[in-house]
Each structure stands twice: as structure tokens, then as C-alpha cells.
Amino acid sequence: MKLKLLELTDNKARILFEGAANTYIDALAVELIHDPDVDVAQRRQAFRFTDPELFVTMKNGRSPILAIIDAAKRLSGYAGELLGQMEALEIA
């Protein structure tokens, strides 16, 4: 997956996820919505055969890039917890 920054301002970011599956971008957008500083978080895609874009707007002056990083870390943590639980099931 390759990221391409399309637009970045103090309260808005548009990032193209080249070669990424929609599922990850959707999960990231949902996780971003849980952040009280996020105003809008959505996956955009002009056509099914084009790469998805993540669009994020913020309130309260927080950087959209920092919000995306935090959301990605939370998703990674959830995946780690799930992996640990799955490995425990395999041992049992």
C-alpha cells in the first residue's frame, strides 16, 4: 500500500491509498469518527476500479494527520488483541 497526500490544511486531509482494500479504509474512517476532534471521516472512491481516498476534517485545531495516526494505532492494537486471543484458542 502506498500513500499519496492529495491535500493537507490545518483542519483537513485527503490521502490516496494506492493498492489498498476498501475494508481497511472503511475501518479507519469508522475509528476516526470515535475521535471527538474529528468532524468528518469518510472513504471516497470515484469508481470501483480506482484507489480509495480518505477524507478527514477536524474541529478544535488538532492535526488531521495526528488523528489518522492515532486511529491507525488503535486499529493495530485491536488486531493485536484479536491475534492474541486466536493464538490462545489454537493452544487450548
Side-chain angles (χ1 to χ4, degrees):
M1 171 172 38
K2 182 178 175 185
L3 304 180
K4 183 176 181 181
L5 187 60
L6 301 176
E7 181 180 2
L8 180 62
T9 66
D10 290 342
N11 68 340
K12 179 172 47 173
R14 288 178 46 229
I15 302 172
L16 185 69
F17 286 72
E18 294 179 356
N22 291 336
T23 305
Y24 180 75
I25 309 306
D26 288 339
L28 186 57
V30 168
E31 188 60 34
L32 277 160
I33 290 297
H34 294 297
D35 185 328
D37 292 331
V38 172
D39 184 36
V40 174
Q42 63 182 198
R43 174 185 55 85
R44 293 180 174 177
Q45 192 169 12
F47 302 100
R48 296 296 289 156
F49 57 84
T50 60
D51 291 318
E53 171 188 320
L54 180 65
F55 177 74
V56 179
T57 60
M58 303 295 294
K59 42 189 174 177
N60 301 329
R62 185 164 171 230
S63 164
I65 297 297
L66 292 178
I68 295 167
I69 290 169
D70 289 345
K73 286 179 180 178
R74 287 192 302 272
L75 283 178
S76 179
Y78 302 150
E81 289 174 21
L82 177 61
L83 180 59
Q85 291 177 22
M86 294 302 294
E87 288 171 340
L89 288 175
E90 185 177 291
I91 295 171

